[in-house]
Amino acid sequence: MSKLETDIGLNQQIIPPVPLKVENTGLDFGFLADLTLKTVYADANCTTERAAEKLKLTLPVTQELLQHLYHEKFVEIRGLVGYGNNRYGMLDRGWQRAQQLLENNGYIGPAPVSLQAYTDMVLRQSAARNSVAPDDVRQAMSELVLTDTTVQTLGLVASSRRSLFLSGPAGNGKTAIAVALHEAQQGEVWIPHAIEVDSQIIKVFDAHNHQATAVQSVERHDERWVKIKRPIVIVGGEMTIDTMDLIFSPTVRFYEAPFQLKSNGGTLVIDDFGRQRVNPRDLLNRWIVPLEGRVDYLTLHTGKKIAVPFEQLLIFATNLDPKALVDDAFLRRMGYRLFVAPPDKEMYAAIFQQYAEANGFEYDPARLDYVFRLYEADQRPLRACEPRDLIQRCTDICRFENRSWALSDELLKLAWFNYFGIAPAV
């Protein structure tokens, strides 16, 4: 069997099966009945089909739950829309019960999955993930100008999915490298809309961080799960100890998953590490357990701790001196370390040519010689981001002043002034 056939077979085995009975959902019947009642409460034109769509449950399961509410006199049947599809409305007893439920938990939406089901799915998908080949890494890094040694290290990171500590001066592509490294890991993963723990709801799917993908019609699956592109979550200065735990909203009374939970199956980038509003060592201590055991511990507002998988590629990126941030004990826990050095003239030239041609300019080495003279006159170090930024300023000027699309010393001089805010010395 070929590698491709093996990967396809593994992916097919982890499609979440459709629960045809309430007991197959992994959730308590009473919990699902309460969620169904809140669904009817929030829908003035509720039918069996509409409730099933909102709950992401099958019609037989939804019908069983609605019939239970009907026999308990929480709802009434207001007519038959079609075979197996009734219209429901709330009764007074149902209104009272729904309001009581909403005071404790305001969640109305897709039925969650159990914590055990989530854990099992994450671990199975992690074990079945497609391998990363050297060509995948080279293709992902093709728009970056990197040394062969750097690309090799990044390939080892992508293949092993061990953590990476990126350091080096600002503006030399650490974040770009992290994003490209994520792109080298192809494939899709299943995540739930939400997780249930002790009748508490943790909302997982987030349209900002998760991009849903189409599911082929032949893939019948439990619609409480969403198939997404491998997620990449980037957090920076806004990260605190509190944002690494479950985020409980006292208004809606359910939880939002923290960023590390949302990145499971993908990549988590801690950008600008050391510039958070909390002591770096406190943050590092918080990461030690997940790094060592691939398990994270989160706390409900009741005080109960729950264990969740920690299955993502973790990347730290900092432009501060690592010795001032971390100790050797922490660095030993990192899978790989990579110092991203400023470019030399040869690398700078390659980046400059790449961006110039990509933006429609004809590359002329004489123009680059002029740029290097500007750097030398200002005694300014080369940075990998600056060829792109200078070319972008050139395009802004040409577009605004309706100039011909051609690089010149005069155009570059003006771009230099607008970018660095000082008149060039030459």
Side-chain angles (χ1 to χ4, degrees), residues 332-348:
R332 285 196 301 270
R333 292 179 171 89
M334 301 300 297
Y336 290 88
R337 310 173 210 176
L338 182 61
F339 178 78
V340 183
D344 57 21
K345 284 190 173 183
E346 183 178 350
M347 292 179 66
Y348 188 102

Side-chain angles (χ1 to χ4, degrees), residues 25-28 31 35 104-105 107 110-119 192-204 224 245-246 248 253-258 261 296-309:
T25 64
L27 301 174
D28 179 73
F31 170 84
L35 182 58
N104 294 322
N105 188 327
Y107 180 81
V113 303
S114 68
L115 177 59
Q116 186 61 55
Y118 173 73
T119 300
H193 284 280
I195 300 170
E196 180 269 339
V197 183
D198 291 350
S199 296
Q200 301 291 319
I201 301 290
I202 303 170
K203 188 172 176 289
V204 176
R224 295 178 297 165
D245 212 329
L246 293 171
F248 182 74
R253 292 170 294 284
F254 60 84
Y255 298 89
E256 185 77 19
L261 190 65
D296 195 17
Y297 292 91
L298 306 175
T299 308
L300 299 170
H301 72 281
T302 59
K304 178 177 180 177
K305 285 192 174 292
I306 60 172
V308 296

Side-chain angles (χ1 to χ4, degrees), residues 179-192:
V179 172
L181 190 56
H182 171 74
E183 295 299 324
Q185 306 165 79
Q186 301 172 9
E188 299 162 326
V189 294
W190 293 94
I191 67 167

Side-chain angles (χ1 to χ4, degrees), residues 216-234:
Q216 296 181 8
S217 58
V218 295
E219 296 183 9
R220 235 181 135 232
H221 68 283
D222 183 349
E223 293 187 3
R224 295 178 297 165
W225 296 84
V226 187
K227 195 175 188 180
I228 65 167
K229 289 186 176 181
R230 289 194 183 277
I232 177 169
V233 178
I234 302 176

